[in-house]
Amino acid sequence: MTVHKILLFYRFVPLADPEAVRLWQRTLCESLGLTGRIILSKDGINGTVGGELKSVKRYITRMKEFAPFHDIDFKFSEGTGDDFPRLSVRVRDELVSFGAPGELVVDESGVVGGGTRLTPKQLNDLVAEKEVTFFDGRNRIEAAIGRFADAVVPDVNTTREFVAELDSGKYDHLKNKPVVTYCTGGIRCEVLSSLMRSRGFGEVYQLEGGIARYGEEFGDGGLWKGSLYVFDQRMSVPFTDSAEVISECSVCGTPSTRIENCSDPSCRELFVVCDEHAAAISCELHTNESTIGGSTTQSSGERTPILAE
């Protein structure tokens, strides 16, 4: 039986020629039959790819042979073989689209001026010692299906909206309190914690390895509640069969962790829905368009894999 795996990884490190690395990454992934999405910039690499286990292992070996990527922390999860419809490898200004490329400083050790790193165990120890505020570094839909207890969840749809949120003054009351940032695999918190510190937040921590690493270590027996949003066809995954369902269908209120796109193929808005309402869910704009046109456009069922944006 063929075993498939998904890799989630990133590394902040200066890259002298991102375009050359892009060509190498595309050739490498194609030769191994891997699909998914990889973003490169002058500040490093951010990727999620999937394929057969033997190919995934070869990919890791080749990555570690390249000095800037030698220390990448690869996170594994179960795959199905069709988790990503295609391979995309691109060069961008930012690895994560905060819209603040000029604020980020990266050296060979990673992001300069970020938060204090915490392993999952260190996070539990910190919470046992003092009162902390969890600060979710993801968007509202990701947080809807799973989050740390009593976390602050900024009302953002994309990562690009975080800078305005931080500058709005909404969270100034946290500047003198311990704040723990967290996200899926850790990359958004690398940048978010740096942005917070540069704006006067005095005691900022970041969960190293993100929710994915915390779930690997503690499952549903720690501080995490719910399921994890993931950037492939699965959309959401629980850490164990006993995961608590904390979200509900946006149409009828039935407990659910299922996430679907708006039924219009051109729209990227996401919703938590139950099985009954999954096929026909639409955003307000496309619901109106469907009503005017007299019909509802159904999604093809193929999702474009996305990274943290």
Side-chain angles (χ1 to χ4, degrees):
M1 179 179 178
T2 302
V3 177
H4 293 88
K5 292 288 184 179
I6 294 172
L7 283 183
L8 178 67
F9 60 93
Y10 72 89
R11 176 79 163 95
F12 280 103
V13 63
L15 294 180
D17 192 346
E19 178 60 24
V21 179
R22 184 192 71 81
L23 294 173
W24 167 56
Q25 283 290 302
R26 173 164 286 282
T27 300
L28 176 60
C29 288
E30 288 178 343
S31 70
L32 295 172
L34 302 181
T35 55
R37 190 179 183 193
I38 296 171
I39 292 175
L40 294 146
S41 81
K42 63 180 178 55
D43 296 321
I45 186 170
N46 177 21
T48 178
V49 298
E52 294 185 13
L53 178 58
K54 61 182 181 181
S55 296
V56 167
K57 288 182 175 180
R58 288 173 185 164
Y59 178 78
I60 293 174
T61 298
R62 292 295 306 277
M63 288 285 279
K64 288 185 175 295
E65 290 172 352
F66 182 53
F69 298 161
H70 178 74
D71 295 326
I72 287 182
D73 177 22
F74 291 97
K75 304 169 191 70
F76 284 85
S77 63
E78 298 301 321
T80 64
D82 60 354
D83 303 290
F84 306 98
R86 62 185 69 85
L87 173 67
S88 173
V89 187
R90 297 182 180 181
V91 174
R92 290 185 176 178
D93 290 337
E94 297 179 281
L95 290 186
V96 187
S97 302
F98 275 88
E103 292 194 49
L104 188 67
V105 178
V106 173
D107 63 18
E108 286 72 14
S109 298
V111 174
V112 177
T116 301
R117 298 173 183 275
L118 297 174
T119 66
K121 183 180 183 305
Q122 288 172 333
L123 172 60
N124 285 357
D125 291 343
L126 180 69
V127 171
E129 293 172 3
K130 62 172 72 175
E131 182 178 346
V132 305
T133 297
F134 285 105
F135 197 95
D136 203 312
R138 305 167 302 153
N139 66 46
R140 58 180 182 81
I141 288 294
E142 293 175 82
I145 64 170
R147 55 189 178 272
F148 283 100
D150 301 319
V152 171
V153 179
D155 186 21
V156 298
N157 292 312
T158 69
T159 304
R160 190 173 291 273
E161 297 172 14
F162 266 99
V163 171
E165 275 286 290
L166 292 177
D167 291 341
S168 71
K170 294 179 184 178
Y171 313 106
D172 285 359
H173 63 287
L174 298 175
K175 287 187 174 181
N176 295 317
K177 299 179 180 180
V179 175
V180 178
T181 63
Y182 67 92
C183 58
T184 306
I187 186 169
R188 281 176 280 187
C189 293
E190 296 268 10
V191 182
L192 177 59
S193 64
S194 174
L195 294 173
M196 294 181 79
R197 289 196 62 195
S198 69
R199 284 162 172 75
F201 291 81
E203 188 176 350
V204 182
Y205 301 88
Q206 63 187 75
L207 178 57
E208 191 166 19
I211 304 161
R213 182 68 75 225
Y214 188 89
E216 286 179 6
E217 189 162 337
F218 291 105
D220 295 302
L223 303 170
W224 174 258
K225 303 295 181 185
S227 296
L228 175 63
Y229 179 92
V230 292
F231 304 98
D232 57 64
Q233 299 277 38
R234 299 170 299 170
M235 301 296 275
S236 68
V237 293
F239 288 123
T240 69
D241 293 337
S242 60
E244 182 179 353
V245 178
I246 66 171
S247 49
E248 57 185 37
C249 175
S250 58
V251 178
C252 66
T254 299
S256 176
T257 61
R258 181 169 179 172
I259 295 179
E260 292 291 340
N261 291 98
C262 169
S263 58
D264 188 292
S266 67
C267 184
R268 295 186 67 183
E269 187 165 352
L270 299 171
F271 300 88
V272 178
V273 292
C274 64
D275 293 343
E276 179 181 352
H277 294 107
I281 189 68
S282 296
C283 68
E284 183 176 356
L285 172 63
H286 293 110
T287 296
N288 292 337
E289 287 181 350
S290 297
T291 301
I292 294 171
S295 63
T296 299
T297 302
Q298 298 298 321
S299 170
S300 65
E302 182 181 279
R303 302 184 182 92
T304 301
I306 59 174
L307 295 185
E309 294 186 324

